[in-house]
Amino acid sequence: PTAVSAVWIIPILAGVIAAVVGWKTYSSRGPLIEIQFKQGHGFTAGNTVVKHNDIVVGEVEEVTLSDSLETVVVKARLKKVIEPYLGDTTVFSAVNARISGTELSGLDTLLSGAFIEVEWSGKPNTAERTFIGLDVPPLTPSSVEGTQFELKTEVAGSLGVGSPIFYRNFRVGKIESRKLADDFSHIVYEGFVEAPYDSLITAETQF
């Protein structure tokens, strides 16, 4: 009986160790989230990463179409350290090479492939696991303080997305979007002026 007991000690210990290691691995896994995009952007499971400030914080595990076939559904596993920041202030954006106005962005993706950028503005008020991603990343990260505003004009002129905004020949912001008004009567620009220069914007400010 003693010999039989000794024979079983090793496999029992191995099983216990395997169970402990398995539990630690499972408990240390970060959250699995779902992001919907209008386009696929070349995302692939096991290759496309999620980044924050150029640091990899997750990886795409699955890319599928929605049931309606109208959107692309991306499932990504994030690192556990990101979990407290997943909520109503979290923004996911598809990043790839593009030309916007006077600016070039995402050129490093020509070699590495597209990736997903995650940002947030402060701690969220709610915990979320499903998000609507941006197919075009915002020109100004949400972490940059400042003020967004609208400008209206009858003629678009040469201003485009990315055009700088100056104050006394000093760059203080940029144009983030340009579109026709709903009634086609004028052009609507969305501009952004960084803090502390946004304090210069008042009811009397002229552009």
Side-chain angles (χ1 to χ4, degrees), residues 129-201:
R129 292 295 180 269
T130 302
F131 303 88
I132 303 298
L134 301 178
D135 289 272
V136 178
L139 290 181
T140 305
S142 58
S143 57
V144 177
E145 296 183 357
T147 300
Q148 192 174 52
F149 55 90
E150 282 191 357
L151 296 173
K152 299 179 181 179
T153 179
E154 294 183 356
V155 181
S158 60
L159 285 179
V161 175
S163 294
I165 298 174
F166 292 97
Y167 177 73
R168 296 186 176 181
N169 291 328
F170 183 81
R171 182 169 178 165
V172 296
K174 68 179 70 172
I175 298 297
E176 294 191 319
S177 70
R178 179 180 70 170
K179 64 180 181 180
L180 275 172
D182 294 337
D183 60 0
F184 310 115
S185 63
H186 57 276
I187 310 298
V188 179
Y189 288 97
E190 285 190 354
F192 183 87
V193 172
E194 298 180 16
Y197 313 112
D198 57 342
S199 62
L200 297 170
I201 302 175

Side-chain angles (χ1 to χ4, degrees), residues 15 35 47 64 66 68 79 81 116 118 142 150 167 170 188 190:
I35 316 167
N47 291 320
T64 59
S66 63
S68 64
K79 292 185 177 180
V81 68
I116 299 173
V118 58
S142 58
E150 282 191 357
Y167 177 73
F170 183 81
V188 179
E190 285 190 354

Side-chain angles (χ1 to χ4, degrees), residues 38-49:
K38 292 182 179 179
Q39 303 176 34
H41 300 286
F43 297 150
T44 56
N47 291 320
T48 301
V49 297

